[in-house]
Amino acid sequence: MTYLAGKLVLAIEAGAPNNGRSDGTTARVKKARIHGRDYPYVSAQAFRRWLRDTMTAAGSVPSPTERVGKAQQKAQKATTAANPIEYADDDLFGYLKATAKSDDASTTVRDTAFMVGTFLSVEPVRLTEDFGVMSRNIPEPVLHAHEFYTADLAAPFLLDLPRIGTFTLPDRNGAGRPNYLTEKEAMSLAAAAQAGAASVRFRGHGAVRLPLAERRQRVALLLEALAELAGGAKKALHYGDRLPALFALVPMAGGVNPLGFVIDGADDGTGLRVRGDVLRRELQAWEGEWEAPVLVGWRPGFRDPLRKQFEDDLAEEIDTGKVVVGHPRTVLLELAGRIRGGEHDTWFDDRTR
């Protein structure tokens, strides 16, 4: 197996975790307009920032960032160190390093190994606008307002395991650039950051690959950050727990995600659906392309009637161990532990057919 494919749900209660551009003195949440109704969302960029910050809080050293280019509202750029060998977040989340023309340096890129979609509400929501006044010890009060909402937000994600710690080298025609690094840069950085990096062939290109122990560590760091996830805007007024309320995760041989319609919103706009019968049919359709068990993290107390129906529908699969249901934190930490311990080393190489 080469990919971890999943679907994840965030339960937002009277929150405003990701805001858009303000309208005058009113702070607006991000929302999509679909069939004339509002669907609030959390952007993939915001969610990935939460993951980065959670990894940093756990002790991972983040790639340093800098701003380059011109002033605000003009051509502006910001970049990390663009060193995926030394920094796990550059490796996992990718980057685009576009330098200033005066620097006479080429643009370098790495596409992400961890892909995530937009966390869109599973049902339309009537946003609430809260009116506020700052009047403490000032003669003329300052008026302000902001939006917030309650909703379940869902998004797919995909983790390309063999890509982690693996950096392809461009050939004469430039192929391989999405994975970054010239051979000289790769080997010099590897020597400085991690002894034991090796030259390999990867998906038709020459590549430099970090030792397996380091690649295991990076996957485990990401999963542990999901298990401890924290972040979001408006914490002073709308503090909320950002630990996933629900997720499903399955190891896949290819980059297909079969869980998109397992966890979604009802067609009539009445809220979250989690359908065991859909999961069963997807697993049957992809027989031979996935590895048991399907891991389901479900927080106690979250949508209990849905959970009971899901477990009833998949009673046979749960009894035989094809599907495992537990607390999100427990499921993710146990998986991270197994990966760090080497139990899933075959996931770090593309499957040969």
Side-chain angles (χ1 to χ4, degrees):
M1 300 298 133
T2 61
Y3 294 84
L4 293 181
K7 192 76 178 278
L8 190 149
V9 175
L10 302 175
I12 308 301
E13 182 176 353
N18 189 205
N19 295 300
R21 179 173 294 181
S22 296
D23 177 13
T25 59
T26 302
R28 304 292 185 188
V29 298
K30 289 183 177 178
K31 54 185 176 291
R33 192 76 171 167
I34 303 174
H35 301 307
R37 295 186 290 184
D38 290 332
Y39 288 73
Y41 69 88
V42 166
S43 70
Q45 179 187 20
F47 180 79
R48 286 156 60 93
R49 171 65 184 271
W50 301 352
L51 271 176
R52 285 176 184 265
D53 289 348
T54 305
M55 288 171 58
T56 299
S60 179
V61 178
S63 180
T65 58
E66 64 173 337
R67 181 189 173 97
V68 296
K70 298 181 180 179
Q72 200 77 15
Q73 305 301 328
K74 295 184 179 180
Q76 50 183 317
K77 303 169 187 176
T79 182
T80 67
N83 182 348
I85 292 180
E86 184 172 353
Y87 298 107
D89 57 340
D90 274 345
D91 183 10
L92 292 166
F93 300 111
Y95 50 79
L96 168 64
K97 185 174 184 179
T99 57
K101 290 183 179 180
S102 59
D103 292 342
D104 193 27
S106 61
T107 294
T108 56
V109 295
R110 174 170 171 77
D111 53 342
T112 183
F114 177 71
M115 294 151 270
V116 63
T118 298
F119 284 82
L120 186 66
S121 174
V122 298
E123 61 183 325
V125 173
R126 185 183 294 273
L127 301 172
T128 299
E129 186 171 309
D130 181 57
F131 177 74
V133 178
M134 171 55 176
S135 58
R136 189 171 59 253
N137 300 322
I138 54 177
E140 186 174 347
V142 176
L143 309 181
H144 57 89
H146 70 276
E147 293 178 327
F148 67 92
Y149 60 89
T150 294
D152 296 328
L153 314 182
F157 64 89
L158 190 70
L159 182 61
D160 186 348
L161 289 162
R163 278 281 320 286
I164 296 169
T166 304
F167 314 107
T168 58
L169 309 172
D171 60 21
R172 292 180 180 177
N173 299 320
R177 282 189 62 83
N179 297 294
Y180 185 58
L181 297 183
T182 67
E183 186 169 12
K184 180 180 179 180
E185 289 171 328
M187 294 309 295
S188 63
L189 286 169
Q194 182 72 43
S199 296
V200 297
R201 292 292 294 176
F202 180 71
R203 297 177 182 172
H205 299 281
V208 171
R209 171 169 276 181
L210 296 179
L212 182 57
E214 177 62 22
R215 291 183 283 139
R216 291 178 192 146
Q217 171 72 1
R218 293 184 176 188
V219 176
L221 283 172
L222 181 67
L223 295 174
E224 288 164 352
L226 277 173
E228 307 279 356
L229 188 64
K234 296 288 187 198
K235 290 181 182 178
L237 301 177
H238 295 290
Y239 164 75
D241 189 355
R242 299 295 169 245
L243 181 70
L246 167 68
F247 74 84
L249 178 67
V250 58
M252 295 290 295
V256 172
N257 192 328
L259 302 173
F261 297 111
V262 175
I263 300 172
D264 64 1
D267 294 334
D268 60 2
T270 55
L272 184 68
R273 293 188 301 187
V274 188
R275 296 182 286 178
D277 61 321
V278 174
L279 177 58
R280 179 183 292 113
R281 282 180 282 168
E282 286 283 5
L283 295 179
Q284 290 171 349
W286 294 100
E287 186 66 37
E289 299 296 311
W290 63 280
E291 181 180 309
V294 178
L295 300 176
V296 178
W298 202 313
R299 296 193 74 176
F302 177 72
R303 306 290 183 262
D304 284 338
L306 276 179
R307 178 169 182 166
K308 184 179 186 307
Q309 185 64 55
F310 178 81
E311 292 178 343
D312 288 346
D313 290 344
L314 292 175
E316 181 179 345
E317 287 81 358
I318 292 173
D319 287 344
T320 58
K322 288 185 177 180
V323 175
V324 171
V325 184
H327 193 287
R329 184 174 187 273
T330 302
V331 172
L332 287 167
L333 291 181
E334 288 178 349
L335 177 59
R338 292 195 299 273
I339 288 174
R340 188 178 272 113
E343 294 183 38
H344 297 299
D345 283 354
T346 56
W347 292 357
F348 288 88
D349 288 301
D350 288 322
R351 192 179 72 170
T352 56
R353 297 180 181 273

